[in-house]
Amino acid sequence: QVQLVESGGGLVQAGGSLRLSCAASGVIFSINAMGWYRQAPGKRRELVATSTSGGKANYADSVKGRFTISRDNAKNTVYLQMNSLKPEDTAVYYCNADLSTIAIRAVLRYWGPGTQVTVSS
């Protein structure tokens, strides 16, 4: 059984920073891409940032220059450093991982339960 657990969300004032973490646990064979998505009330879930296993990053235009995704492959963990936060960044942030397990070698996408980020003006 694979679990992804996010941490680091909370309430912050506009202009502030937060760092999200997401650790994958279970009998994991390998992890390919890991990433972060977010969903604001009444809106669709949208891509925030992704990272390949080699560390190549991709960002949504709305967060470029403010957010940084990074990984610790030894810990099966992905991070999202969020700086210069804006009220429009308020959302539930979800991490995901494309991975295979010892039992199931096919690469499947797993999601965490999400963590709330609220940016006050």
Side-chain angles (χ1 to χ4, degrees), residues 10-61:
L11 173 64
V12 64
Q13 287 189 329
S17 298
L18 283 174
R19 187 186 192 219
L20 305 183
S21 300
C22 173
S25 63
V27 189
I28 296 169
F29 180 70
S30 67
I31 301 179
N32 296 347
M34 299 184 80
W36 293 93
Y37 284 67
R38 67 186 180 187
Q39 187 168 17
K43 294 188 177 182
R44 288 187 172 185
R45 189 174 297 189
E46 63 176 5
L47 169 74
V48 176
T50 60
S51 175
T52 66
S53 58
K56 182 177 180 180
N58 179 53
Y59 297 96
D61 288 342

Side-chain angles (χ1 to χ4, degrees), residues 63-120:
V63 306
K64 281 181 182 177
R66 300 188 298 123
F67 290 11
T68 302
I69 189 170
S70 61
R71 290 173 62 159
D72 184 336
N73 291 331
K75 296 181 179 179
N76 292 337
T77 299
V78 63
Y79 305 95
L80 186 69
Q81 178 67 44
M82 305 185 293
N83 299 328
S84 302
L85 282 160
K86 304 175 181 180
E88 50 264 43
D89 294 318
T90 295
V92 177
Y93 283 70
Y94 299 90
C95 75
N96 67 22
D98 295 337
L99 61 84
S100 60
T101 65
I102 299 296
I104 303 173
R105 295 297 178 92
V107 176
L108 302 176
R109 175 160 290 183
Y110 294 81
W111 292 88
T115 185
Q116 177 70 45
V117 172
T118 302
V119 185
S120 63

